[in-house]
Amino acid sequence: MLTIKNLHASVEEGAEILKGLNMEVNAGEVHAIMGPNGAGKSTLAAVLAGKEGYDITQGEVSFDGKDLLELETEDRAKEGMFLAFQYPVEIPGVSNINFLKTALNEIREYRGEEALNAKDFMARVRKSSEIVNLDPKLASRSVNAGFSGGEKKRNEIFQMAMLEPKLSILDETDSGLDIDALKVVSDGVNKLRSKDNAVIIITHYQRLLDYITPDYVHVLADGKIVKTGPKELALELEEKGYDWLNEEKETV
Amino acid sequence: MEVAAENKVLSFVNGWERPTEENAVRKEALQALNAMEFPTTRVEDWKYTRVGKITKRSFKQLNTTIDTSPYIIEDLDAHQLVFVNGYYREDLSAIKKDDALTIQPVDRVDDAYYGQLVEDIDENVFSLMNKAYSNGGVYLHVAKQMKVEHPIHMIHVLTGDEVVANPRHFIRVEQGGKAEVVTTFQSEKAEESFSNVVMEGHVEANAHLRIHKVQTEAKNCFHIANELFVQDEGSQFLINTITTGSRLTRNGLNVIVEGENCHTEMNGAYLGTDRQHLDNHTLIDQLYSNCTSSETYKGVMDDKSVGVFNGKVIVRQDSQNIEAYQSNGNILLSKEATVNSKPELEIYADDVRCSHGSTTGQLDEEALFYLRTRGISEKNAKNLLVAAFIGDVLEKIDIEPLRKSVDQHFLEEFGWEF
């Protein structure tokens, strides 16, 4: 579904953040990307979503056979990519419902499907908000405006449920969550998993992976995937920290 | 006659006709015009607005008729008063029977009463030209302790090339009376024509007056409005001003609060494209204690358009316990658009709570990116953010059919959906 080959990216000021990253994600898989602060985890998420301010200097990314890097941000979403933000943006005055209706209808139009009628749309809102126990009242409020940290993260997963992406990238979704919210959010993600979609979990800590079991754990350090392993790798990282990897690398 | 030829103001009005019936207002305005000059940008009040675009042209009066159907607001059950190029067209108007409301030509306002009301109030060259040459306009009188059941819709249509319209209106809401007015300004096959409007009123003790002004004239026309309202004690006055029209618009709005326990509210939304110049000048003069005022103006400027906001609040020395809130926010959608925003508070009393804020910026890039990651195109994402930005001003239009027609206008004009 997603193939990243030798990806190099720099911030526009010049510093290279991603230095030859390779990765392959197939339908039905959950990949965790872990790594120390500053390794390039959030840059990877931003580059995949098409955020401005980065120069892709080398490499390629294909998403379901399409050249992802050639697509506008909104077209990546229409092709089925979803980014759950580490810091969801507050947008006063734009209601959750209104914006999701616009988004869903644009996505459906792109795919040659008819717009959802009001009844089906509202049914979907109800179903999706149940998945993350989001108060339906929050669904009609302004996007993230005045939401608590936990509500913001639940709202991200609510939107994921609404938009039914093929590939979801969860960028530090666990940050700032208490244990109850963490359970609700991961429970929501688990409900949305299927053999047809895939999830990339970007996280600094292992604790989210107690609830969402990854098929692969990648360690991202200094702009590259330095190690890939099964879910047990996450536990090892938690125990030994990231310095252990550097030592291992040096001894090799 | 040589003197007249040298005076730019007099040559500007040269050829305009005046109604034969003379009254004090007309006579005094005509006389005052002799000594007037057009303002330059050296005059503080006109610092950001050059009127040369208007004053270098010449305009003629034109009394004609139109089909009013495009200007009737769907489902707005209102008294309809029609003004074509500033001439009151009773034949095209539809007035309901209502004992609370009397509609007469503006000349019927009592000279002595009017003279006293506007005493000491500065006129400018445009209001004087209007008053000297106005040949249409109404005096709306709302009776004591009575409420006008339906909104009063004043439909202004500017039509023809290089035409000037000088409508002049006066609204008097007597003690405890209540009325709501919708004024729309539109144009039809008008090229480089000029609306020069005067709208004045008196909201007497405990009376309520609400006005919604929507100006969507063609973008090669010109619009100058001089609006003055005097509030007596315990009265409430609200005016919402929505401007998307004209090459050059200047809304000069003055409210003189002449009694305690008044509330004044002014809101505005102005949306410019091309090379439009949209100027809102407001003044609230608090002469008495225990009053509140609230003012919110928002601008969205695209292309090479220019927005101007000047909001002056004066709290006089003996006016204690005044609460005045003012905010002006602007969004620039293009690098070439500009806004000049100038809040001006003159406070001479001690016990006053005044707040003001002025912001000018671009759309929030982070919010734009967020919306786009959900599959929303850049254009629609911008529309959602712009709509959210001016939404709180539009929400002040509490007449549902009017709100709908404004929304429809925004959709057609800018593709903005609310």
Side-chain angles (χ1 to χ4, degrees), chain A residues 41-42 85-86 153 170-175 202-204:
Chain A
K41 298 193 302 291
S42 284
F85 282 58
Q86 181 178 7
K153 295 297 172 75
L170 312 184
D171 185 12
E172 307 270 0
T173 292
D174 53 333
S175 71
I202 294 174
T203 181
H204 187 72

Side-chain angles (χ1 to χ4, degrees), chain A residues 186-206:
Chain A
S186 25
D187 196 32
V189 174
N190 285 329
K191 282 182 195 158
L192 296 171
R193 281 176 71 172
S194 81
K195 64 175 176 33
D196 300 317
N197 62 29
V199 180
I200 297 175
I201 298 169
I202 294 174
T203 181
H204 187 72
Y205 303 102
Q206 177 268 339

Side-chain angles (χ1 to χ4, degrees), chain A residues 49-51 72-74 77-78 82-83 85 89 91-94 99 103 106-107 143-144 156 159 163, chain B residues 364-381 384-385 387-389 417-418:
Chain A
K51 191 167 186 185
E72 295 286 343
T73 293
E74 53 266 38
K78 284 167 180 158
F82 180 86
L83 172 64
F85 282 58
V89 185
I91 314 181
V94 175
F99 118 81
E106 274 204 45
I107 290 171
V143 181
N144 296 324
E156 295 294 286
Q159 293 174 31
L163 302 177
Chain B
D364 180 352
E365 287 294 330
E366 292 291 322
L368 208 54
F369 176 65
Y370 186 83
L371 293 174
R372 290 176 68 199
T373 62
R374 274 30 178 174
I376 298 175
S377 67
E378 187 173 2
K379 181 173 168 283
N380 283 344
L384 277 171
L385 294 178
F389 176 69
E417 209 162 343
F418 290 82

Side-chain angles (χ1 to χ4, degrees), chain A residues 208-223:
Chain A
L208 181 62
L209 306 180
D210 285 342
Y211 301 96
I212 308 172
T213 314
D215 299 298
Y216 299 96
V217 174
H218 308 274
V219 180
L220 177 61
D222 195 26

Side-chain angles (χ1 to χ4, degrees), chain B residues 118-310:
Chain B
V118 302
E119 208 184 355
D120 303 328
I121 286 170
D122 283 341
E123 298 277 355
N124 65 45
V125 64
F126 294 101
S127 63
L128 289 171
M129 284 196 297
N130 171 293
K131 287 178 182 179
Y133 290 93
S134 174
N135 31 35
V138 288
Y139 170 25
L140 304 179
H141 180 270
V142 179
K144 256 183 210 168
Q145 309 295 349
M146 289 183 83
K147 179 191 172 194
V148 180
E149 276 307 319
H150 299 277
I152 304 158
H153 183 191
M154 305 172 79
I155 300 168
H156 300 81
V157 182
L158 192 60
T159 184
D161 298 346
E162 296 168 335
V163 166
V164 63
N166 285 305
R168 176 182 165 231
H169 308 299
F170 189 82
I171 304 171
R172 181 177 184 183
V173 188
E174 285 214 54
Q175 266 184 48
K178 193 172 180 179
E180 187 147 24
V181 174
V182 175
T183 60
T184 53
F185 292 86
Q186 285 154 289
S187 64
E188 173 178 309
K189 291 186 198 124
E191 293 281 332
E192 296 173 354
S193 290
F194 174 30
S195 282
N196 183 34
V197 184
V198 169
M199 165 85 89
E200 293 171 326
H202 187 190
V203 193
E204 295 190 20
N206 302 313
H208 289 225
L209 176 62
R210 298 169 71 86
I211 298 177
H212 310 275
K213 175 181 175 181
V214 181
Q215 195 262 101
T216 59
E217 290 168 352
K219 291 182 185 179
N220 59 13
C221 289
F222 308 94
H223 186 103
I224 290 186
N226 281 286
E227 295 153 345
L228 168 72
F229 294 89
V230 177
Q231 282 186 260
D232 290 351
E233 61 173 347
S235 66
Q236 304 225 354
F237 174 64
L238 169 143
I239 183 162
N240 295 322
T241 306
I242 312 293
T243 309
T244 66
S246 288
R247 170 85 169 79
L248 188 162
T249 292
R250 160 84 164 206
N251 295 314
L253 169 61
N254 295 339
V255 177
I256 316 296
V257 184
E258 287 198 336
E260 293 196 21
N261 301 312
C262 289
H263 181 65
T264 311
E265 185 170 343
M266 0 171 119
N267 306 296
Y270 46 100
L271 305 112
T273 58
D274 304 333
R275 287 171 169 275
Q276 277 184 291
H277 182 105
L278 306 178
D279 176 352
N280 282 286
H281 254 70
T282 67
L283 164 71
I284 302 176
D285 194 350
Q286 300 282 9
L287 294 151
Y288 284 80
S289 300
N290 303 316
C291 291
T292 55
S293 69
S294 164
E295 180 173 14
T296 306
Y297 272 71
K298 289 198 171 177
V300 180
M301 310 310 289
D302 203 351
D303 303 327
K304 294 184 174 175
S305 62
V306 178
V308 179
F309 174 79
N310 189 116

Side-chain angles (χ1 to χ4, degrees), chain B residues 56-117:
Chain B
K56 283 185 184 134
R57 293 163 195 269
S58 69
F59 302 93
K60 58 182 184 289
Q61 293 160 314
L62 175 67
N63 191 354
T64 181
T65 192
I66 49 145
D67 168 17
T68 56
S69 55
Y71 308 105
I72 310 291
I73 294 172
E74 200 181 329
D75 298 327
L76 179 67
D77 191 10
H79 302 273
Q80 293 161 355
L81 280 65
V82 178
F83 306 88
V84 181
N85 292 341
Y87 292 85
Y88 177 39
R89 296 301 301 251
E90 210 173 339
D91 54 326
L92 304 174
S93 301
I95 294 154
K96 298 166 185 291
K97 193 181 154 15
D98 189 334
D99 292 338
L101 177 68
T102 315
I103 301 171
Q104 303 169 75
V106 70
D107 297 326
R108 298 292 152 76
V109 179
D110 182 74
D111 278 342
Y113 156 79
Y114 180 79
Q116 208 176 9
L117 190 73

Side-chain angles (χ1 to χ4, degrees), chain A residues 63-230:
Chain A
F63 180 48
D64 256 0
K66 293 209 164 67
D67 182 355
L68 186 81
L69 302 175
E70 284 300 305
L71 296 174
E72 295 286 343
T73 293
E74 53 266 38
D75 292 337
R76 298 179 191 197
K78 284 167 180 158
E79 289 289 344
M81 179 176 282
F82 180 86
L83 172 64
F85 282 58
Q86 181 178 7
Y87 302 108
V89 185
E90 297 198 13
I91 314 181
V94 175
S95 84
N96 251 332
I97 293 283
N98 199 6
F99 118 81
L100 281 172
K101 197 184 281 170
T102 309
L104 204 56
N105 285 340
E106 274 204 45
I107 290 171
R108 292 178 72 92
E109 194 187 325
Y110 184 85
R111 295 178 186 164
E113 295 164 2
E114 291 215 358
L116 276 186
N117 65 36
K119 192 170 151 260
D120 291 347
F121 177 76
M122 286 318 291
R124 192 148 163 176
V125 168
R126 224 172 300 120
K127 211 180 105 203
S128 302
S129 47
E130 275 167 15
I131 285 176
V132 282
N133 277 337
L134 190 75
D135 185 344
K137 269 186 233 130
L138 291 183
S140 54
R141 286 238 310 262
S142 288
V143 181
N144 296 324
F147 286 26
S148 70
E151 283 168 346
K152 281 180 183 167
K153 295 297 172 75
R154 278 192 282 166
N155 194 23
E156 295 294 286
I157 307 306
F158 162 68
Q159 293 174 31
M160 176 177 155
M162 286 295 293
L163 302 177
E164 295 179 337
K166 280 189 267 188
L167 174 68
S168 302
I169 302 164
L170 312 184
D171 185 12
E172 307 270 0
T173 292
D174 53 333
S175 71
L177 288 186
D178 64 29
I179 188 68
D180 293 329
L182 187 71
K183 278 182 191 164
V184 170
V185 164
S186 25
D187 196 32
V189 174
N190 285 329
K191 282 182 195 158
L192 296 171
R193 281 176 71 172
S194 81
K195 64 175 176 33
D196 300 317
N197 62 29
V199 180
I200 297 175
I201 298 169
I202 294 174
T203 181
H204 187 72
Y205 303 102
Q206 177 268 339
R207 62 178 197 144
L208 181 62
L209 306 180
D210 285 342
Y211 301 96
I212 308 172
T213 314
D215 299 298
Y216 299 96
V217 174
H218 308 274
V219 180
L220 177 61
D222 195 26
K224 272 188 259 191
I225 303 285
V226 295
K227 195 174 173 68
T228 295

